[in-house]
Amino acid sequence: MERHSRTMQRAAGRRRGERTPSEEQQDLVAASADGVTAITVAPTSFEIVNAAYGRTTGDQLVDAIDQRLSGALAEYRSAAVRSGATFTILVGGEAQIGDAAVDATERALEHPFQIDGETIQLGARIGVARMSEEEPLDQLLRRAAEALAYARASEGATRRIAADGRGVSLAALAADLHRAMERQEIDVRFQPQVHLIDGQITGVEALARWQHPRLGVLGADTLLAAADRAGLGVALSDHVQALALRRAADWPDALSGLRVAVNVTATDLSRTPFVSRFLARVHEAGIAPGRVTAEVTEGAMIDNLHAAGTALAALRAAGCRVALDDFGTGYSSLSYVARLPLDYLKIDRSLTQAAVSDARDRVVMQGVLAIAKGLGLETIAEGVETEAQRLLLAARGCTLYQGFLCAEPLDDAALIELVSKDRERELPR
Ligand code: C2E
Ligand code: CA
Ligand code: CA
């Protein structure tokens, strides 16, 4: 039997979701007359490990995952390729064997890892696709990657099996997206940002949704993946930002003091002239620039920090504010925070949630809050779901929070109702 490959091909620097099969994988497919199952696995809280313990530990963790998977799949005919922390594994054999390998993969990552004296507990998302007759390998890999994207997009499901041409694929969604924009199916919801001291809602973040006529409401991750696939990332960004700003400009008086934050992607930032286009959108919407925040991630700026810094400074000069999004994921670096012209640091949900249960993560959180404060930045904790999380953040001096504890992303009517209630509560009696 062939063994699970230990030396995996690294496919760094590729576009998200793109997988190139290794020779070993091609050989496996050629030798597997009884079928092939593709399994894509991505740890859910991997980025936080980089942020909390450093990149070396992150790298060691990926090696440890690699070894676990190799061990778990030793009895299968398998070949794997790694890209970042995502593993794409092909398993030869009938569907039942593939299913058993998926179970083994899931079980392999259930137990915590011990790295450098740290105990690290990971979650995982898994995408699965079964090769159909005559299916080319690259198509199989694409379907598995799409299944992973879906698994990531859904809050609950850890595993997703790709439809065999019957269900709706990402490709089909991508093909539909252009019309969806024209038909006004792309919508925004607004999630409140709440002051941690006085409980006031001071602003909202605009989050994209697709009101799909057959599939119901699709989340932002699925929508963005479909847009990427269709080459409509830029068009979608324009559409959603303009929509969010227009809607906010039209809000009734009760909401006219709220700030509105829109997400800005790497592609948005790199498309010149980003600043004048963004400001034109603000102007056309008829909203005061002073109410608008642009949310950017470090990943979006990594290619050209200097240019990104210049663009963000120009936005601020025009009165907008800038938030660094998802801090505490990816290769978060505090030196960026010091060098970029920012107003807010948004602490990623993974760190917010870990801080309650883990003393070490609490130390990381406290450090992040202290540095932000030292740099004069306000902090927004994301993903606050419990009172315990809120109290911890308030006690440690975080400025604002966002999360299901206050509200999920809301449509206009629900937002208006919530804010009005909030204001009534505050009126002196
Ligand atoms: P994000 O910017 O970090 O947005 C926060 C995400 O966390 C949202 O998911 C929100 O629904 C979810 N969330 C909020 N509170 C909680 C909570 O208490 N618990 C949990 N478990 N989740 C919470 P959503 O809307 O699915 O967006 C996912 C990501 O997609 C966003 O992450 C953002 O990066 C991107 N995105 C969303 N809308 C847009 C958009 O209009 N344009 C761009 N470029 N990106 C967008
Ligand atoms: Ca955001
Ligand atoms: Ca975020």
Side-chain angles (χ1 to χ4, degrees):
M1 263 195 192
E2 283 168 54
R3 304 260 318 188
H4 180 84
S5 130
R6 282 217 161 232
T7 41
M8 300 197 183
Q9 176 190 311
R10 292 183 188 199
R14 262 180 238 293
R15 264 169 59 87
R16 181 154 53 95
E18 232 175 81
R19 303 275 176 274
T20 306
S22 65
E23 259 175 48
E24 204 186 345
Q25 288 186 321
Q26 287 166 354
D27 292 348
L28 178 85
V29 170
S32 301
D34 46 355
V36 175
T37 303
I39 308 171
T40 49
V41 196
T44 40
S45 33
F46 174 71
E47 288 85 359
I48 187 70
V49 174
N50 282 317
Y53 305 112
R55 201 169 166 161
T56 316
T57 304
D59 289 347
Q60 285 176 22
L61 179 64
V62 178
D63 289 341
I65 295 173
D66 186 345
Q67 280 183 13
R68 282 259 184 103
L69 292 175
S70 304
L73 298 174
E75 60 190 86
Y76 297 88
R77 277 183 288 136
S78 70
V81 166
R82 196 189 116 193
S83 164
T86 301
F87 294 79
T88 303
I89 307 161
L90 294 186
V91 177
E94 289 167 4
Q96 270 171 319
I97 293 181
D99 291 346
V102 175
D103 290 338
T105 302
E106 194 162 51
R107 274 198 309 274
L109 302 180
E110 265 170 17
H111 307 289
F113 289 82
Q114 300 290 339
I115 312 271
D116 269 352
E118 309 286 356
T119 304
I120 298 169
Q121 176 78 57
L122 288 177
R125 292 279 192 265
I126 302 182
V128 182
R130 177 82 190 153
M131 188 177 257
S132 29
E133 228 167 291
E134 306 280 301
E135 183 174 31
L137 178 53
D138 57 351
Q139 188 178 317
L140 173 75
L141 294 178
R142 205 178 314 126
R143 287 199 298 120
E146 285 171 11
L148 177 65
Y150 274 108
R152 280 177 151 157
S154 68
E155 280 293 325
T158 52
R159 195 196 275 199
R160 192 85 188 205
I161 317 286
D164 289 326
R166 285 188 305 273
V168 180
S169 71
L170 200 55
L173 287 179
D176 239 19
L177 185 58
H178 200 68
R179 265 178 308 152
M181 282 197 270
E182 283 169 2
R183 287 200 219 107
Q184 322 291 329
E185 286 170 21
I186 309 302
D187 196 13
V188 277
R189 299 276 163 89
F190 297 95
Q191 187 175 40
Q193 298 181 330
V194 189
H195 208 277
L196 270 158
I197 304 244
D198 59 17
Q200 256 212 51
I201 296 171
T202 58
V204 292
E205 175 181 1
L207 294 158
R209 293 290 179 269
W210 184 349
Q211 304 274 3
H212 197 282
R214 271 180 307 123
L215 303 170
V217 179
L218 299 178
D221 287 323
T222 306
L223 174 56
L224 295 169
D228 257 6
R229 174 78 185 255
L232 288 172
V234 165
L236 180 72
S237 255
D238 284 356
H239 183 88
V240 172
Q241 286 171 10
L243 187 62
L245 294 170
R246 273 203 311 270
R247 292 258 293 274
D250 288 345
W251 279 336
D253 284 351
L255 276 69
S256 63
L258 293 188
R259 305 193 56 75
V260 57
V262 295
N263 288 285
V264 170
T265 65
T267 320
D268 294 343
L269 259 182
S270 64
R271 204 169 38 127
T272 45
F274 161 72
V275 176
S276 57
R277 291 177 65 112
F278 187 87
L279 292 175
R281 212 165 295 140
V282 172
H283 183 74
E284 276 158 28
I287 186 169
R291 284 177 62 198
V292 177
T293 301
E295 293 196 1
V296 287
T297 60
E298 286 172 296
M301 296 182 285
I302 220 149
D303 286 342
N304 194 340
L305 194 61
H306 180 74
T310 309
L312 300 182
L315 287 190
R316 292 181 81 216
C320 300
R321 292 190 194 163
V322 176
L324 187 61
D325 204 356
D326 299 344
F327 192 78
T329 64
Y331 297 117
S332 294
S333 146
L334 285 166
S335 66
Y336 271 40
V337 177
R339 282 160 62 195
L340 287 165
L342 301 173
D343 300 277
Y344 303 99
L345 195 64
K346 292 195 80 176
I347 299 169
D348 191 68
R349 158 172 116 213
S350 46
L351 184 53
T352 302
Q353 299 186 345
V356 183
S357 47
D358 187 296
R360 285 175 178 277
D361 288 317
R362 209 142 49 234
V363 173
V364 175
M365 161 77 81
Q366 198 158 355
V368 170
L369 291 175
I371 289 172
K373 193 170 180 197
L375 293 168
L377 304 179
E378 294 197 24
T379 36
I380 306 175
E382 298 188 288
V384 175
E385 295 177 358
T386 66
E387 189 60 16
Q389 289 162 354
R390 189 187 67 80
L391 288 172
L392 176 76
L393 291 158
R396 310 279 158 134
C398 184
T399 327
L400 297 151
Y401 83 88
Q402 210 179 313
F404 297 162
L405 180 64
C406 171
E408 61 200 56
L410 303 171
D411 60 25
D412 279 34
L415 179 69
I416 291 168
E417 194 187 322
L418 181 71
V419 174
S420 311
K421 260 200 227 144
D422 203 51
R423 296 281 142 89
E424 264 167 39
R425 199 165 44 78
E426 278 153 27
L427 287 178
R429 309 196 170 249

